Every structure is written in structure tokens, then in C-alpha cells.
Amino acid sequence: QVQLVESGGGLVQAGGSLRLSCAASRRAISTYTMAWFRQAPGKEREFVAANNWNGGRTSYADSVKGRFTISRDNAKNTVYLQMNSLKPDDTAVYYCAADLTAGIRGWDRVGVTDEYDYWGQGTQVTVSS
């Protein structure tokens, strides 16, 4: 099993930046598809970004393209989400997810929550206007 722990959330003003980290343990993530999802109060969990095992392939939700960047450091067993130009609509709990086979049936499926077996506990991001 992979254990995931997110950090880096907090309160930031609109237009500001935050970098989230997801530290993995128990298994190396170097063969895993890694992703970020988020869930706002009263809403379903939604896809934010994903990258493949070596970071060479990425996918982003339209709402964050050009503002967020997913990256990974397999040597540190950590995935990052750099969030710039934050908006109040970005306010949510952000979750890290991992799976060995996410996207294997089509890269477009990396945005589907059912593709992932492992999830972190989440970190709160609040963007004030």
C-alpha cells in the first residue's frame, strides 16, 4: 500500500500562490500515476491535475490550466502542485491520489476518481477575495 500525506495548504489572498506537497511512503511512487483532486463544500470531488510515472505526461482541468503545475521528485517520493494566480473558486480541500494503473485504459481517465486506489487525508486551501 501507498500512504500519502499532503501539506502546504493555508489561507491566501486572491492572486497569491501556494505549493502543495504530497509525500508518499511504504512504496516508491516512481511507477505510479499521481494526481491532485479537490472538493469544495457541498460539491463533488473534482480532478485538478495528474502526471505519469516519470512526469513526462500531464493532464489538467480546464479551470486550472495555465495557473497550476503538477510535478514530481521520484527520488524524494513526493509530488507537488504549484498553484499561482489563485482565485476564491479554488477554495477546497485538496487531495493527493496514486495508482499503478490510472490512465492505462486511456489517459483521459486520469481525471476519474475511481481510477485511484490510494488517497491522502487532504489539505485545506482557502483563497480570500
Side-chain angles (χ1 to χ4, degrees):
Q1 280 193 336
V2 178
Q3 187 171 25
L4 304 172
V5 178
E6 302 95 335
S7 62
L11 174 64
V12 64
Q13 287 189 334
S17 298
L18 282 175
R19 189 176 82 153
L20 305 183
S21 299
C22 172
S25 60
R26 298 185 179 177
R27 292 285 177 90
I29 64 167
S30 56
T31 58
Y32 284 72
T33 295
M34 302 296 296
W36 289 94
F37 288 77
R38 67 187 182 186
Q39 188 166 18
K43 295 187 177 181
E44 292 190 356
R45 193 168 297 189
E46 66 174 6
F47 171 70
V48 175
N51 68 9
N52 70 336
W53 66 276
N54 66 356
R57 194 169 189 182
T58 59
S59 180
Y60 294 94
D62 288 343
S63 59
V64 306
K65 277 180 184 176
R67 300 188 299 122
F68 291 11
T69 303
I70 186 171
S71 62
R72 64 165 67 199
D73 186 337
N74 285 339
K76 294 183 178 179
N77 228 29
T78 301
V79 176
Y80 305 97
L81 184 69
Q82 178 66 42
M83 305 186 296
N84 299 328
S85 302
L86 282 160
K87 306 173 181 180
D89 284 349
D90 295 318
T91 295
V93 177
Y94 283 71
Y95 297 91
C96 179
D99 200 272
L100 275 171
T101 61
I104 200 170
R105 294 176 289 172
W107 185 244
D108 58 319
R109 290 191 58 80
V110 293
V112 178
T113 55
D114 288 348
E115 289 284 297
Y116 298 88
D117 283 340
Y118 305 108
W119 293 84
Q121 83 292 346
T123 185
Q124 176 71 47
V125 171
T126 303
V127 184
S128 63
S129 56

